[in-house]
Amino acid sequence: MKQYPSILNDVIGPVMIGPSSSHTAASVRIGRMIRDISKGNILFVKFQFDKRSSIAATYHTQGSDIGLCAGILGYDAYDERILDSLNEVLEKNMKIEFEIGDFGLGHPNTYYTTIVLKDMKEIHLTAISTGGGMFELTEFEGFSVNITGGFYETIIICEEKYKKDILEKLKLDGEHIIVETQNDDGVLLNIKSISKLKPIALENATIYEIDLVLPIKSQVKPYVPFITAEDILINNKNKTIWKAALEYESIRGNISEDEVFEKMLKIVHILKESLKKGKNGTHYEDRILKHQSHLLDDKKMLGGKFMKSVIEYVTLFMEIKSSMGVFVAAPTAGSCGCVPGVIFALQHEHNLSDDDVVRAFLASGLIGIFIANKSTFAAEVCGCQAECGSGSGMCAAACAEIMGGDIKECFSAASMALQNIFGLVCDPVANRVEVPCLGKNILAATNAIACANMAISGFCEVIPLDETIESMYEVGKCIIPQLRCTGMGGLSTTKSALKIRKKLEGF
């Protein structure tokens, strides 16, 4: 079922701990679903990853294993207990197994999952991580499903002959959607609702329930006021970009514009608190890059104080992420330095208020909506242009908004920034989200600043934003799998990278 992306679900978020949003945060959410489906009665869970997939190469180094265990334990993506979740699962007498083999490639982040309950009943499901912490349950007990965390989900499996009687007993209203799937074994009724169903006893049926996972609920009747830059320029060209973002998220989430603003302000406060801790230095053993942001102190730099601030803040956010501190994916963990780093550097240099910062994040979020709708944030699908590249386009619009640019200038800045990032590959050293990720975040940041200056000065982007995003997606799909977060090409396979990987893995 088509759902429009949400700024607070898909773009600026989740609030999380871990090296990767598509691996750690999405895995927490998948684990939470497994916990709900099993009602906590888990004896054993096996996760199978195809040997050709991205996740087979990175599930440990990028935190899928700890994320899955944390979700099974009921933790949130920002819970510090995530770090010890593998041990905690064992202490609760649950066995977790990870297997790599020839299971069918499909999506590069596919989790083939078998759950064994304490009564020895088996449950089978398939889930995928779609980028930026988002996920989808695509198969359940042999039935095709589409569960993405924005509804309270009730799954009822029965024989065809009992379906009519079950539907009559449920007495559902307009706040519910029923998606029916059939196979040779019977019928699956997936009831999606924005509030929990009242408990109901059904004979001749098996019932599973999944709680709401995402912070912003999905829509029973999907509708948004616009979904492309062109839509806005035709009908709302006099709006500021941040007000357009408020309108979009308010309607998409069925919450007031004031509530949207307050939710974003809360994220700003979380980021500022993380910055305070990060400035005192960060430490984590399983890490390539040590604390470096302090090295910029008292240094004369090309570009002056502002360039120093940009590099410092981008580096700080990447260091917070790599040391397992709390941060916000914007739009992903791998690109978490660019947008917040530049916005907080601007606040520092120009004495911006927190409300100004919120408006900048909203501006970046709207660009992210357009990208999420027509492209992807998953490096496993489209290389790092989907992560740091998307972050650069989002950041350019935020910079233009802070500079007083109108909505067309903000879109122009974003389009130019995205055009400059086409083809950016994802080749992390030792499968850690550190090198060359830090440099790419700084590249994305400086590119965004330059493009915002160009747009405000009247430079022409030539290719409109919507067309640029569509083209970016096509280019990303052409990037070979070895350069899409698999550790099989680029810097990942250099002599030095292999030496670092061997050392970190303790060989």
Side-chain angles (χ1 to χ4, degrees):
M1 185 180 70
K2 171 71 175 178
Q3 283 287 327
Y4 294 105
S6 153
I7 292 174
L8 295 167
N9 282 348
D10 302 71
V11 186
I12 309 297
V15 179
M16 62 170 289
I17 290 172
S20 169
S21 48
S22 60
H23 288 70
T24 321
S27 293
V28 171
R29 289 168 166 176
I30 292 168
R32 289 285 293 272
M33 284 197 307
I34 291 169
R35 179 182 175 86
D36 290 344
I37 288 166
S38 64
K39 296 181 180 178
N41 296 317
I42 295 173
L43 179 66
F44 170 63
V45 185
K46 178 189 282 188
F47 297 99
Q48 295 173 315
F49 309 130
D50 188 83
K51 62 185 179 182
R52 296 157 292 181
S53 69
S54 169
I55 199 165
T58 59
Y59 79 88
H60 175 63
T61 53
Q62 295 190 19
S64 296
D65 50 1
I66 59 173
L68 290 165
C69 290
I72 288 169
L73 291 166
Y75 301 160
D76 290 311
Y78 52 82
D79 194 315
E80 292 182 357
R81 292 175 295 177
I82 284 175
L83 302 180
D84 198 41
S85 60
L86 279 167
N87 291 328
E88 290 191 41
V89 162
L90 295 176
E91 288 172 5
K92 293 184 181 295
N93 297 316
M94 288 185 278
K95 182 181 178 183
I96 308 294
E97 183 178 317
F98 302 94
E99 181 181 359
I100 297 172
D102 192 2
F103 304 114
L105 179 56
H107 190 282
N109 285 338
T110 300
Y111 301 67
Y112 300 104
T113 307
T114 301
I115 307 163
V116 180
L117 304 182
K118 290 178 181 178
D119 63 4
M120 303 308 294
K121 178 181 179 181
E122 287 193 8
I123 302 171
H124 299 87
L125 61 87
T126 301
I128 60 174
S129 164
T130 56
M134 303 300 285
F135 70 94
E136 181 183 352
L137 181 62
T138 59
E139 181 271 333
F140 186 81
E141 291 290 80
F143 295 89
S144 294
V145 293
N146 170 232
I147 295 173
T148 55
F151 288 113
Y152 293 95
E153 310 272 357
T154 302
I155 298 172
I156 300 173
I157 299 176
C158 64
E159 294 180 35
E160 170 70 28
K161 61 184 178 181
Y162 298 119
K163 181 183 72 173
K164 183 178 179 181
D165 181 53
I166 288 171
L167 291 174
E168 287 177 353
K169 286 182 178 179
L170 290 172
K171 298 178 181 178
L172 301 177
D173 56 30
E175 288 192 351
H176 304 86
I177 302 166
I178 300 180
V179 181
E180 179 182 333
T181 310
Q182 295 186 342
N183 66 19
D184 293 340
D185 296 324
V187 177
L188 181 146
L189 302 173
N190 180 198
I191 304 164
K192 301 174 178 290
S193 54
I194 57 175
S195 57
K196 279 190 174 183
L197 280 180
K198 292 180 180 180
I200 183 171
L202 294 174
E203 296 178 358
N204 306 309
T206 305
I207 304 174
Y208 302 91
E209 294 178 311
I210 302 174
D211 215 337
L212 185 72
V213 176
L214 301 178
I216 302 298
K217 295 178 182 178
S218 293
Q219 296 174 297
V220 175
K221 296 180 180 179
Y223 169 77
V224 289
F226 42 78
I227 195 56
T228 66
E230 185 180 13
D231 287 343
I232 298 179
L233 293 176
I234 290 172
N235 301 308
N236 299 273
K237 60 184 178 182
N238 293 323
K239 271 187 179 291
T240 59
I241 187 171
W242 71 270
K243 285 186 177 179
L246 269 186
E247 179 188 6
Y248 176 95
E249 189 69 1
S250 171
I251 292 172
R252 163 61 180 79
N254 193 29
I255 55 179
S256 70
E257 292 187 3
D258 286 345
E259 191 173 351
V260 174
F261 198 94
E262 286 301 314
K263 285 180 179 292
M264 191 64 78
L265 183 60
K266 183 177 180 180
I267 286 175
V268 169
H269 290 160
I270 290 170
L271 288 168
K272 293 185 83 168
E273 186 61 31
S274 290
L275 275 177
K276 286 181 185 178
K277 295 178 181 178
K279 286 182 177 181
N280 292 326
T282 56
H283 177 77
Y284 192 69
E285 285 298 327
D286 189 14
R287 175 176 170 185
I288 300 172
L289 299 175
K290 306 307 178 186
H291 177 51
Q292 300 182 116
S293 51
H294 67 288
L295 299 175
L296 299 164
D297 294 346
D298 303 321
K299 298 291 192 302
K300 290 184 179 180
M301 304 185 66
L302 294 174
K305 288 176 58 181
F306 178 58
M307 181 59 70
K308 172 187 173 295
S309 288
V310 168
I311 298 173
E312 178 186 6
Y313 278 99
V314 171
T315 304
L316 273 167
F317 280 114
M318 292 298 287
E319 289 178 347
I320 291 163
K321 172 195 65 64
S322 295
S323 63
M324 298 298 178
V326 176
F327 68 97
V328 178
T332 70
S335 60
C336 71
C338 176
V339 174
V342 172
I343 292 175
F344 283 107
L346 285 165
Q347 182 179 37
H348 176 76
E349 292 298 313
H350 298 281
N351 296 314
L352 302 178
S353 69
D354 282 355
D355 282 2
D356 292 329
V357 170
V358 169
R359 288 188 274 270
F361 271 107
L362 287 168
S364 72
L366 188 62
I367 303 302
I369 286 296
F370 301 150
I371 295 171
N373 186 57
K374 289 289 187 180
S375 184
T376 181
F377 293 136
E380 299 85 356
V381 177
C382 282
C384 200
Q385 65 167 42
E387 297 201 27
C388 290
S390 295
S392 191
M394 291 163 54
C395 185
C399 291
E401 197 284 326
I402 287 173
M403 295 167 70
D406 62 28
I407 200 162
K408 188 176 186 308
E409 289 168 331
C410 292
F411 290 167
S412 177
S415 183
M416 285 190 281
L418 292 174
Q419 291 171 33
N420 298 340
I421 300 289
F422 277 26
L424 191 64
V425 303
C426 183
D427 53 348
V429 171
N431 285 326
R432 267 72 175 175
V433 189
E434 296 185 73
V435 183
C437 315
L438 171 60
K440 287 177 179 176
N441 273 261
I442 293 171
L443 166 71
T446 53
N447 176 53
I449 294 163
C451 291
N453 283 330
M454 292 160 66
I456 293 296
S457 300
F459 282 50
C460 179
E461 79 278 20
V462 182
I463 308 300
L465 178 58
D466 295 327
E467 294 180 35
T468 297
I469 292 170
E470 290 173 357
S471 182
M472 181 176 74
Y473 184 55
E474 293 304 316
V475 169
K477 290 191 295 181
C478 293
I479 296 173
I480 60 174
Q482 290 90 331
L483 299 174
R484 288 194 263 124
C485 198
T486 58
M488 298 178 184
L491 292 178
S492 303
T493 54
T494 60
K495 182 179 178 180
S496 294
L498 294 174
K499 186 177 179 181
I500 292 168
R501 180 174 178 177
K502 186 175 181 180
K503 179 181 178 182
L504 287 172
E505 291 179 351
F507 294 149

